């Protein structure tokens, strides 16, 4: 059985405790590898290595770091197919999604931020001939990067790349649920010319290794993507040490379809936003609001299309693969039962799927659509993070704004209308960090990414990421 190892100071190591945890594939439900059960001692070792490597990495300068990161990106592309297969088997997503979405972003993250760092400019302020101020941005030191299980290597490199490009060294803690591609990444880093200690990857449980990283006094900056409850704990850990903190957390995102929307466009995009990656994307549209005039027509068409979605072996061209873990599958099923207890009607789906053969113990759920729930009910308030959507009618703009803003989350929203004025008017009133008009998941790496309310703190993406991973220093020169 394959044993995943930590990567610390250019070496592959087991946890100091020598303990390991089992890692299963959600496709088969069977254990196929083990990862180190790391704790604070392993984090200490990794932080020490990163701290020691920091001065040399910083002194390389932007161009020196650029050259090394671009070379690393090329090496990652050379291992593209290995990443695709590993991500699908470890996470459960269809291979075609890993091939078209996740893995292309791995090398792109490094190329984008390495290039962006060369164009990261400073400011100068002249004081009427008396003095001038110039502002520089300096790397902070050791950056702690904690990534989730839904887009494992995609989001791990989304954090590591800007941290390194800005001149920091990194201690990363990937999700313990999907550790494999982070391990493959470390093996490629080992073969690269990145100096030892610059990138360190420590595997383990969030409550042990992750918490130790957020509490470490020599890690002044933390970037975390994951659940809002975990984000609250990290916020508490970081507050007393005045750490710089970025939290990209959960979402309960509305898809709003007006009577005047392009019907087929709204239908197809809403379907994609509901069930992509088994609904396990923080940006998925899990609450669908449809204006009353077209509600029945839209509902009928949406349910018909949902019934045609295929679920199965991720190696095949299926629409949905496996749910990431048994515990998460059971959580989703419990929410579906809760929806019925709250008076909801299951229009389609709602059940675990049992296949024959190797997939018999896999974690598969039918894509599920639920009607007749109050917008304030638990199922419409809490993040399910699975292939489950609710659908509700609304009468007018004020009506849907009230319902859309009724949750504690504020990550994203999609608005479908042919009226440009209405689109702008609605966008200004929806409390979300990202608004898509007649679209969903159109991502530009330059834009600020993040949410409002319980969906997070701060913004990453483009120069926002480079600003986050640097400290501002103003220097005043008297003339």
């Amino acid at each position: 059985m394959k044993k995943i190892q930590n990567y610390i100071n250019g070496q592959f190591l087991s946890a100091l405790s020598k303990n390991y945890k089992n890692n299963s594939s959600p496709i088969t439900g069977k254990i196929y590898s083990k990862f180190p059960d790391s704790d604070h001692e392993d984090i200490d070792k990794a932080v020490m290595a990163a701290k020691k490597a920091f001065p040399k990495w910083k002194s390389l300068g932007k161009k020196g770091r650029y050259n090394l990161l671009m070379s690393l990106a090329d090496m990652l592309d050379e291992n593209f197919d290995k990443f695709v297969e590993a991500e699908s088997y470890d996470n459960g997503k269809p291979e075609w999604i890993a091939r078209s979405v996740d893995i292309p972003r791995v090398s792109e993250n490094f190329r984008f931020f390495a290039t962006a760092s060369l164009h990261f400019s400073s400011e100068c302020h002249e004081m009427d001939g008396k003095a001038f101020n110039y502002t520089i941005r300096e790397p902070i030191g050791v950056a702690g990067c904690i990534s989730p299980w839904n887009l494992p290597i995609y989001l791990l490199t989304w954090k590591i790349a800007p941290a390194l490009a800005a001149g920091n060294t990194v201690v990363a803690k990937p999700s313990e649920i999907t550790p494999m591609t982070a391990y493959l990444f470390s093996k490629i880093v080992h073969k690269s010319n990145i100096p030892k200690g610059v990138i360190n990857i420590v595997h383990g449980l969030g409550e042990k290794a992750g918490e130790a990283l957020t509490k470490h006094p020599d890690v002044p900056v933390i970037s975390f993507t994951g659940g809002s409850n975990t984000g609250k704990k990290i916020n508490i850990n970081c507050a007393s040490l005045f750490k710089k903190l970025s939290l990209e957390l959960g979402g309960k995102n509305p898809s709003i379809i007006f009577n005047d929307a392009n019907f087929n466009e709204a239908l197809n995009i809403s379907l994609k936003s509901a069930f992509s990656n088994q609904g396990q994307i923080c940006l998925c549209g899990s609450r669908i609001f449809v204006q009353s005039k077209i509600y029945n027509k839209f509902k009928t068409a949406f349910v018909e299309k949902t019934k045609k979605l295929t679920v199965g072996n991720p190696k095949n061209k299926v629409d949905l693969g496996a749910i990431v873990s048994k515990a998460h599958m059971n959580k989703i099923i419990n929410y579906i039962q809760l929806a019925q207890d709250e008076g909801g009607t299951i229009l389609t789906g709602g059940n675990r799927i049992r296949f024959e053969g190797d997939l018999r113990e896999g974690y598969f759920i039918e894509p599920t659509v639920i009607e007749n729930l109050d917008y304030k009910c638990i199922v419409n308030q809490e993040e399910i993070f699975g292939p489950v959507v609710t659908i509700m009618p609304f009468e007018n703009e004020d009506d849907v704004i009230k319902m859309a803003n009724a949750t504690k989350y504020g990550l994203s929203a999609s608005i479908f209308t042919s009226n440009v004025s209405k689109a702008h008017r609605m966008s200004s009133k929806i409390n979300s960090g990202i608004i898509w008009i007649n679209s969903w998941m159109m991502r530009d790496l330059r834009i600020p990414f993040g949410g409002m309310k319980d969906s997070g703190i701060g913004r990453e993406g483009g120069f926002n990421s480079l600003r986050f991973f640097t400290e501002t220093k103003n220097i005043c020169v008297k003339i």
Side-chain angles (χ1 to χ4, degrees):
M1 184 173 292
K2 182 176 290 186
K3 279 191 175 181
I4 291 169
Q5 293 179 297
N6 292 332
Y7 185 65
I8 299 174
N9 202 28
Q11 295 181 300
F12 290 99
L13 305 168
S14 61
L16 290 169
S17 67
K18 305 301 182 185
N19 294 329
Y20 280 84
K21 292 285 187 180
N22 292 329
N23 181 43
S24 301
S25 170
I27 299 169
T28 64
K30 298 185 185 308
I31 298 166
Y32 81 101
S33 61
K34 295 178 179 289
F35 63 89
D37 185 15
S38 306
D39 58 25
H40 66 94
E41 292 183 333
D42 302 286
I43 293 294
D44 286 344
K45 190 178 181 71
V47 172
M48 188 181 302
K51 191 174 180 181
K52 184 178 179 181
F54 173 63
K56 181 180 178 181
W57 183 248
K58 177 183 177 181
S59 68
L60 279 177
K62 296 177 181 178
K63 193 60 165 54
R65 295 191 294 268
Y66 166 88
N67 290 335
L68 291 173
L69 295 177
M70 294 295 278
S71 176
L72 176 61
D74 291 340
M75 294 177 70
L76 292 167
D77 280 342
E78 291 168 5
N79 291 270
F80 188 93
D81 289 338
K82 289 181 182 178
F83 275 107
V84 168
E85 292 175 9
E87 197 73 295
S88 175
Y89 195 71
D90 204 36
N91 172 273
K93 67 180 65 196
E95 280 193 6
W96 71 266
I97 291 182
R99 187 174 297 279
S100 60
V101 178
D102 296 62
I103 308 309
R105 272 288 298 275
V106 177
S107 60
E108 185 181 0
N109 283 334
F110 282 100
R111 291 193 180 98
F112 175 84
F113 286 110
T115 303
S117 69
L118 300 179
H119 303 279
F120 193 36
S121 60
S122 59
E123 297 176 335
C124 181
H125 303 278
E126 192 268 336
M127 298 176 63
D128 298 324
K130 299 176 183 178
F132 67 89
N133 296 270
Y134 66 95
T135 302
I136 60 175
R137 303 197 69 92
E138 297 180 328
I140 303 171
V142 180
C145 299
I146 305 175
S147 57
W149 50 254
N150 62 323
L151 302 167
I153 194 63
Y154 173 127
L155 289 176
L156 183 69
T157 54
W158 170 250
K159 298 176 181 303
I160 291 176
L164 295 178
N168 305 282
T169 53
V170 166
V171 176
K173 211 297 285 184
S175 171
E176 61 268 32
I177 298 174
T178 52
M180 187 56 72
T181 48
Y183 178 53
L184 295 182
F185 172 72
S186 66
K187 293 176 79 171
I188 294 169
V189 170
H190 187 66
K191 294 177 182 177
S192 76
N193 292 320
I194 303 288
K196 68 178 184 179
V198 170
I199 299 176
N200 305 274
I201 298 178
V202 181
H203 297 273
L205 304 179
E207 58 265 30
K208 292 173 69 175
E211 183 162 4
L213 182 58
T214 63
K215 287 183 173 180
H216 202 290
D218 291 330
V219 181
V221 54
I222 296 286
S223 175
F224 170 80
T225 298
S228 295
N229 289 333
T230 304
K232 289 178 182 178
K233 294 177 182 177
I234 292 174
N235 196 16
I236 292 170
N237 291 345
C238 293
S240 62
L241 294 171
F242 302 103
K243 292 177 184 276
K244 203 170 186 183
L245 180 62
S246 174
L247 299 174
E248 196 276 286
L249 307 176
K252 192 70 175 175
N253 312 303
S255 295
I256 301 169
I257 296 97
F258 283 95
N259 292 332
D260 62 358
N262 180 314
F263 186 88
N264 289 329
E265 180 181 62
L267 178 64
N268 291 327
I269 294 175
S270 296
L271 189 78
K272 182 180 179 181
S273 76
F275 300 120
S276 288
N277 204 47
Q278 298 74 247
Q280 297 171 150
I281 302 176
C282 58
L283 300 165
C284 278
S286 56
R287 295 180 298 149
I288 302 175
F289 298 99
V290 185
Q291 201 160 15
S292 55
K293 184 178 178 181
I294 62 168
Y295 178 77
N296 287 329
K297 178 184 177 183
F298 188 94
K299 178 185 69 174
T300 300
F302 189 87
V303 169
E304 286 178 355
K305 279 188 169 288
T306 301
K307 288 179 178 179
K308 292 178 181 178
L309 295 175
T310 55
V311 183
N313 191 332
K315 282 194 167 295
N316 301 330
K317 185 70 175 179
V318 294
D319 296 301
L320 286 81
I323 303 302
V324 75
S325 70
K326 186 174 184 179
H328 192 58
M329 177 187 68
N330 289 336
K331 173 188 170 185
I332 294 168
I333 290 171
N334 288 339
Y335 270 113
I336 294 171
Q337 181 57 56
L338 176 61
Q340 294 173 86
D341 295 342
E342 291 187 309
T345 301
I346 307 297
L347 299 179
T348 186
N351 303 299
R352 179 179 180 178
I353 302 174
R354 296 276 192 176
F355 293 105
E356 296 298 321
D358 292 340
L359 276 60
R360 183 169 54 252
E361 299 301 321
Y363 314 136
F364 298 89
I365 293 179
E366 295 172 330
T368 302
V369 183
I370 305 171
E371 188 187 27
N372 295 328
L373 285 173
D374 187 271
Y375 74 96
K376 292 182 179 179
C377 76
I378 295 173
V379 169
N380 272 323
Q381 292 296 309
E382 297 184 0
E383 184 180 40
I384 299 173
F385 216 63
V388 179
V389 296
T390 60
I391 186 166
M392 293 161 278
F394 71 91
E395 294 299 324
N396 52 49
E397 291 180 33
D398 290 340
D399 187 28
V400 75
I401 289 167
K402 177 185 67 176
M403 293 191 289
N405 287 336
T407 75
K408 63 183 179 181
Y409 298 104
L411 185 55
S412 73
S414 290
I415 301 167
F416 297 90
T417 177
S418 60
N419 186 313
V420 175
S421 296
K422 184 192 296 180
H424 285 292
R425 190 165 60 244
M426 288 292 297
S427 297
S428 69
K429 295 178 180 179
I430 298 295
N431 297 328
S432 296
I434 303 161
I435 307 287
W436 283 292
I437 306 298
N438 297 322
S439 62
W440 176 74
M441 203 63 170
M442 292 187 73
R443 293 283 289 115
D444 184 329
L445 299 189
R446 297 169 296 178
I447 67 168
F449 183 92
M452 301 176 179
K453 300 188 286 187
D454 283 19
S455 288
I457 297 172
R459 296 292 184 273
E460 295 185 16
F463 289 139
N464 288 283
S465 290
L466 296 178
R467 292 187 189 101
F468 173 70
F469 284 112
T470 53
E471 287 283 20
T472 304
K473 180 185 289 183
N474 186 77
I475 300 167
C476 180
V477 181
K478 183 180 178 181
I479 298 175

